[in-house]
Amino acid sequence: MDEEEDLRLARITPEISRRTIGLLRELVGLEPPERVPEGAMALADAILAEHGPDGLRVLVMTLSAWATAQIENVAELSRRSYEAVLDSMELACLEAQAED
C-alpha cells in the first residue's frame, strides 16, 4: 500500500472498528444463529454505502485481525493447534451445509 492509501484507510478505521464492535455486541448469542449473517450484511452494506470499497477493506482487515487473535486464544486455552481449531470451524461449516 502507498502512503496516501494508508492515510485514507487510517482515517476511517476508528469508526469502522467502533461499528464492528457494536455489531458483535448485537450478534453474539443471537438466536437463532442463522440471523447472524443478516446483521453482518446490513453493516457491510452500510459501510459500503458510506465509505465505498475502502470501508469494506477496513472491515475485513479488522474482522480478520480479531478472528485471528481469538483463534489463537482458543487454541492456547484448549491446548490444541491453530490447525485443529480451524479444522473444527471448517467441520462446523460443512455440517451446516449438509443440513441445508
Side-chain angles (χ1 to χ4, degrees):
M1 290 194 283
D2 62 25
E3 189 173 326
E4 181 182 324
E5 183 179 28
D6 287 347
L7 290 172
R8 192 175 63 244
L9 297 178
R11 281 193 295 274
I12 61 175
T13 296
E15 177 196 349
I16 292 173
S17 293
R18 180 187 52 76
R19 291 175 69 179
T20 303
I21 290 169
L23 172 72
L24 293 172
R25 289 184 190 280
E26 292 175 19
L27 299 182
V28 171
L30 186 64
E31 291 295 332
E34 292 81 17
R35 291 180 48 208
V36 170
E38 294 171 20
M41 288 299 293
L43 178 62
D45 289 344
I47 287 176
L48 179 61
E50 295 168 31
H51 299 286
D54 282 348
L56 288 181
R57 292 175 68 211
V58 171
L59 177 63
V60 169
M61 289 187 302
T62 301
L63 288 171
S64 296
W66 293 344
T68 299
Q70 291 310 306
I71 289 166
E72 291 170 356
N73 286 339
V74 168
E76 184 177 326
L77 292 171
S78 65
R79 294 188 168 94
R80 295 184 289 164
S81 68
Y82 303 148
E83 194 65 34
V85 173
L86 290 166
D87 288 346
S88 295
M89 293 169 66
E90 185 174 21
L91 181 60
C93 289
L94 292 171
E95 288 172 348
Q97 289 174 358
E99 292 176 5
D100 289 342

